[in-house]
Amino acid sequence: MSTTESPATGIGPVEGASQYTVDNPAPLIEAPRARTKKTPKSTRGNFEMVAWLFMRLSGVVLVVLVLGHLLIQLVLDGGVSKIGFAFVAGRWASPFWQVWDLLMLWLAMLHGANGLRTIINDYAERPNTRLWLKGLLYTATVFTILLGTLVIFTFDPNIR
Amino acid sequence: MATPVMEKSDQAPEPGFADSPYITVTFRVRRFNPEVAAEATWEDFQLEIDPKERVLDALHKIKWELDGSLTFRRSCAHGICGSDAMRINGKNRLACKTLIKDVSPEKPITVEAIKGLTVLKDLVVDMEPFFQAYRDVMPFLITKDTNEPTRERLQTAEDRERFDDTTKCILCAACTSSCPVFWNDGQYFGPAAIVNAHRFIFDSRDEAGEQRLEILNDRDGVWRCRTTFNCTDACPRGIEVTKAIAEVKRALITRRF
Ligand code: HEM
Ligand code: SF4
Ligand code: FES
């Protein structure tokens, strides 16, 4: 019925004649970041493999750490109402909870940061967007890890 | 089992055409023609068709009887050549292996080009990036002995069985174009390339498995797979695609540690 000559009834409502013709076609809707002969450059090293393994191994440890943490903080012994300066000070008096929290901090931050890195790799199309998003992510991660570590090691229960 | 006999009762011609097999089905096709408009649009076609026919038959009917400008690829029409992968009701399938009755013909059946590849016209996409990824895994037998073979390269039935599943690939791109990672970043090798690397990595006669593993250890290699399983669902050959990818991941890890 409709052919390419007649104003294509089949191809959406086009008012009058289309501005596009056989000799002047519309731009194609390109797929994001297509693979070509030259891109992407092949990479060396095992970084992605180590990152992949780390997600799974840290995940297993985080199950224990995070669920234990939530249980202690939110459920046992009166729930959230008990949390206060004294409660935190009491727990951090023991090296066991210091190590627990330190480990949880590092693993959760690195796990979360690497997860977000994956998401940025998936979604950011332009190299510049990637660069900025990752820069922001790494800065925030390093800052949080350092600050958290500092607090755990230098926490002073007698502060006023 | 009993000898097969003609079941007379079923074969008897119906009186008149009282129960015609034909039903009215709406096909909602994603059209794109850069020579006419810059955007893709949906177009509905109504057909009287036997629901036991395939979606490909419906597309033929549309092209031959309603709108000759409808553009799609097909060659064998029997699930062998891999030309007519498309997104039917939101799922990647081969039009030639999909019966209309299996894709709820009561409602409009949507037919689109596969995602993640540039659409050239209607249902035809540019397959070049897909085949580039395929070529990049070196999908051919490589041996260290470069002399002309003087006899057949033998292998045991078990060795052949090891990679049997991945020999079935027809390179239709249904898996790769169903993968959300590929949709967003076409630099990912994609399931089909990994399946075809698996075909040789686990072939006892091939000697470049290590090289192919290294290629897939790339930033855009197997580690980008998020085990979504869309590829396994999409494969018209029933290949366990996600499992093949997992086997390549495992081979990479066990080879290192
Ligand atoms: C409860 C224990 C946890 C387990 C077992 C776990 C496990 C995992 C695994 C296996 C992945 C990789 C998924 C993939 O490669 O497809 C992942 C991704 C991720 N995780 Fe966790 N995780 C846990 C806790 C956390 C925590 C506490 C955070 C936040 C700090 C987090 C943030 C993320 C993010 C942002 C991703 C990336 C999401 C994605 O890949 O789609 N996870 N997790
Ligand atoms: S693995 Fe299956 S879906 Fe993927 S290209 Fe091969 S035949 Fe098609
Ligand atoms: S036309 Fe050949 S696979 Fe469908």
Side-chain angles (χ1 to χ4, degrees):
Chain A
M1 285 214 299
S2 72
T3 63
T4 32
E5 272 83 33
S6 66
T9 46
I11 310 187
V14 190
E15 284 185 29
S18 162
Q19 67 176 113
Y20 300 107
T21 62
V22 177
D23 298 320
N24 176 34
L28 296 173
I29 306 157
E30 302 274 345
R33 295 166 54 82
R35 178 173 275 266
T36 63
K37 265 200 181 66
K38 299 210 178 69
T39 58
K41 287 217 167 60
S42 66
T43 54
R44 294 246 124 211
N46 292 326
F47 179 77
E48 292 298 335
M49 177 170 76
V50 173
W52 186 90
L53 267 177
F54 171 76
M55 286 309 266
R56 275 131 253 270
L57 297 178
S58 61
V60 173
V61 182
L62 277 170
V63 170
V64 180
L65 292 179
V66 173
L67 290 186
H69 178 80
L70 291 178
L71 199 68
I72 293 163
Q73 301 284 316
L74 309 178
V75 182
L76 298 181
D77 209 6
V80 271
S81 53
K82 64 168 184 280
I83 300 180
F85 188 86
F87 179 74
V88 176
R91 277 194 7 157
W92 275 353
S94 141
F96 177 79
W97 294 115
Q98 276 191 334
V99 170
W100 181 295
D101 280 5
L102 192 72
L103 202 61
M104 194 166 67
L105 170 74
W106 277 73
L107 288 183
M109 281 309 294
L110 292 178
H111 178 101
N114 189 46
L116 281 177
R117 182 186 70 95
T118 317
I119 293 173
I120 294 170
N121 277 341
D122 278 354
Y123 284 98
E125 285 173 22
R126 282 179 298 134
N128 259 336
T129 324
R130 286 171 175 244
L131 192 75
W132 281 104
L133 286 177
K134 283 190 197 170
L136 196 68
L137 172 67
Y138 297 153
T139 316
T141 308
V142 171
F143 176 77
T144 314
I145 290 182
L146 289 185
L147 186 66
T149 311
L150 186 76
V151 170
I152 292 177
F153 280 123
T154 60
F155 177 75
D156 176 7
N158 301 318
I159 201 166
R160 66 179 78 221
Chain B
M1 282 263 199
T3 341
V5 281
M6 286 279 265
E7 286 184 32
K8 288 259 164 46
S9 53
D10 280 5
Q11 299 291 314
E14 264 97 309
F17 289 102
D19 10 323
S20 149
Y22 289 78
I23 59 167
T24 309
V25 185
T26 306
F27 284 86
R28 186 160 290 168
V29 185
R30 189 79 172 154
R31 306 291 309 267
F32 174 67
N33 183 352
E35 291 168 2
V36 172
E39 290 91 35
T41 49
W42 293 102
E43 183 177 5
D44 283 6
F45 296 96
Q46 283 215 334
L47 296 181
E48 297 291 316
I49 198 162
D50 183 341
K52 293 191 291 298
E53 300 246 53
R54 305 158 304 167
V55 173
L56 181 66
D57 300 312
L59 293 176
H60 278 150
K61 218 166 145 80
I62 294 170
K63 186 170 178 69
W64 295 337
E65 295 170 20
L66 297 176
D67 184 347
S69 72
L70 180 69
T71 309
F72 54 92
R73 285 194 184 106
R74 71 100 173 81
S75 183
C76 68
H78 293 280
I80 292 301
C81 70
S83 350
D84 63 343
M86 48 189 81
R87 205 164 139 84
I88 300 168
N89 278 355
K91 276 192 153 182
N92 282 1
R93 309 159 188 264
L94 293 181
C96 64
K97 279 185 86 173
T98 307
L99 299 189
I100 292 167
K101 70 180 177 64
D102 294 337
V103 285
S104 12
E106 334 55 82
K107 289 175 283 179
I109 296 171
T110 62
V111 181
E112 306 161 69
I114 45 177
K115 269 166 69 116
L117 294 160
T118 303
V119 179
L120 301 177
K121 187 178 177 189
D122 292 347
L123 305 176
V124 174
V125 297
D126 176 12
M127 297 280 280
E128 195 43 40
F130 172 79
F131 286 124
Q132 186 60 49
Y134 174 60
R135 286 192 288 270
D136 285 346
V137 299
M138 306 191 295
F140 36 79
L141 186 88
I142 299 175
T143 57
K144 298 212 174 76
D145 171 21
T146 48
N147 295 328
E148 187 102 345
T150 49
R151 59 182 189 91
E152 194 184 344
R153 296 176 204 279
L154 296 174
Q155 81 186 142
T156 64
E158 296 81 62
D159 281 347
R160 177 61 180 72
E161 186 55 33
R162 179 68 192 85
F163 61 94
D164 186 63
D165 203 31
T166 45
T167 61
K168 298 177 196 155
C169 178
I170 55 173
L171 293 170
C172 65
C175 55
T176 294
S177 65
S178 75
C179 173
V181 176
F182 183 79
W183 293 340
N184 291 315
D185 187 350
Q187 310 230 310
Y188 170 42
F189 270 96
I194 301 171
V195 160
N196 287 282
H198 179 287
R199 150 79 185 77
F200 288 98
I201 289 169
F202 295 98
D203 185 340
S204 60
R205 297 163 298 186
D206 187 88
E207 290 169 39
E210 181 68 18
Q211 247 171 298
R212 291 194 190 84
L213 284 173
E214 194 50 52
I215 290 170
L216 291 177
N217 197 19
D218 195 273
R219 193 172 29 150
D220 295 293
V222 282
W223 307 114
R224 295 207 69 174
C225 163
R226 318 283 280 286
T227 15
T228 314
F229 276 94
N230 277 17
C231 48
T232 302
D233 286 346
C235 182
R237 308 287 315 207
I239 298 173
E240 294 179 287
V241 183
T242 313
K243 185 177 168 201
I245 300 174
E247 285 176 0
V248 173
K249 284 177 184 162
R250 194 185 307 144
L252 268 165
I253 290 173
T254 48
R255 156 188 96 126
R256 293 288 145 89
F257 298 108

